[in-house]
Structures are given as C-alpha cells and as structure tokens.
Amino acid sequence: ATIASDIKQSSTTVDVTANLTGDSQQNIGGLVGFADESDIQYGSASGDVTIIGPEPGIKVGGLVGNVTQGNISDSKAEGMVTGTRALGGLVGEFNRNSATTDRYTITNSSATGDLNGVSRAGGLVGDAVHTTIIGSTASGNITADSVDAGGLVGFSTNLSVIDSSASGAVTGTEAVGGIVGELQGGTI
C-alpha cells in the first residue's frame, strides 16, 4: 500500500498479471495498486493489466487500482485492462472510500486501450466519487457484462466533467453512456 506520499515523474512499461485468491482480489494497477492521501503527477504506465484466477478482480486500473483522497495530473496509461468491478483505463476506483466529502481532481490525463469487465467500467475511471475531471481523455472499447459502462466514467457520485472526451464503443446491459454510465449528481 502507498500511504500519504506523492508520486512524481514515474513510469513503467510492463504487463501486470494478478492471480487472485482470498483477500488479495483488489487494488491492482499498472504503476500503483493503492494510493491513499497521495498525489500522482506525470505518472505513466504502458502494458496490460489482467486479472486471472478463481477470485474476481475489483479496483483495477491501467495506472492505479485505487486512489483515496488524492489527485492525478498530467498522467497516462496505455494498455488493456481486465477485471470484474470498478475498472478504469487510468484508475479503477477514485475517492470512493474517503472519509471526507472534499473534491479531488484528475487533470490533463489520458487512457488508451480496451476494458473488459462486469460492472463500473470506464475508459478513464471505473468508479468516481466527489471528483472533478478536467482536460482528460479516454480512447478504447469498453465492455461490461452487466451495468455502469461509460466511455470516460462507469459509475459516479457528485462528478464534474470539464473539457474532457471519450472515443470508442461502449457496451453493457444497463446504465451505458458515451461519457458516463451512471451519474448520481454532478455536471457534464
């Protein structure tokens, strides 16, 4: 776990494969698995992030699996992301389990690559709470076997999207959108 630290100008070019069992089924990322009270600036990950094994993979991201009370800026991820729930091209889950209602931002960041999962699948972020996304893009095909599939964000609560875009096909069974799959409060 990464707790209360900043990550700046870091990159990796590697495929990440997790064979999950028991409690290890969450927080899988191309650069960082879990970042708490951490800001990421100029982060980069290139490679596929894949979950295999008998357990479902949740909070899976091309750059970071799970970010709580942190910001991301000028960062990018390239590669395919495969998991079950809360998976994103850049971040799987962003600020969901925060003890505060403060807003956190993703600025000038991008994700390129296809996503395959079950629910809360987004080209940039799978699941976002109290989040502002500014000047960011996602490109790739999003496939969710169930609900909440979005070109930019799969599921969100109190989301603001400014000058951001998504391209690619989005497929799911319910709450499917070109920008956001399910929006519970916020502005686009």
Side-chain angles (χ1 to χ4, degrees):
T2 301
I3 300 177
S5 61
D6 293 337
I7 299 166
K8 295 182 180 179
Q9 298 180 342
S10 298
S11 66
T12 183
T13 302
V14 63
D15 290 334
V16 175
T17 302
N19 188 352
L20 304 176
T21 59
D23 293 334
S24 65
Q25 62 186 7
Q26 59 186 359
N27 304 329
I28 312 299
L31 184 66
V32 178
F34 178 65
D36 185 31
E37 298 182 24
S38 303
D39 290 339
I40 299 171
Q41 185 178 28
Y42 298 106
S44 174
S46 179
D48 296 341
V49 180
T50 307
I51 307 305
I52 60 172
E55 302 292 336
I58 62 173
K59 303 176 188 174
V60 182
L63 186 72
V64 186
N66 185 4
V67 176
T68 302
Q69 297 184 60
N71 302 293
I72 297 176
S73 63
D74 304 299
S75 296
K76 65 180 179 177
E78 298 174 346
M80 178 181 279
V81 177
T82 304
T84 302
R85 181 176 57 85
L87 62 150
L90 191 71
V91 183
E93 188 171 277
F94 192 76
N95 204 39
R96 163 131 322 264
N97 293 319
S98 175
T100 177
T101 58
D102 293 343
R103 293 191 75 78
Y104 293 92
T105 62
I106 298 173
T107 308
N108 299 328
S109 296
S110 65
T112 304
D114 295 343
L115 272 82
N116 294 299
V118 176
S119 65
R120 297 190 179 184
L124 195 69
V125 183
D127 187 337
V129 176
H130 303 301
T131 301
T132 300
I133 298 173
I134 303 168
S136 297
T137 62
S139 176
N141 297 320
I142 313 303
T143 302
D145 293 337
S146 185
V147 299
D148 302 329
L152 201 64
V153 179
F155 177 89
S156 63
T157 303
N158 195 9
L159 173 72
S160 178
V161 177
I162 302 166
D163 294 329
S164 298
S165 64
S167 63
V170 183
T171 305
T173 61
E174 183 179 337
V176 178
I179 295 291
V180 179
E182 184 171 341
L183 177 66
Q184 295 186 351
T187 58
I188 298 177

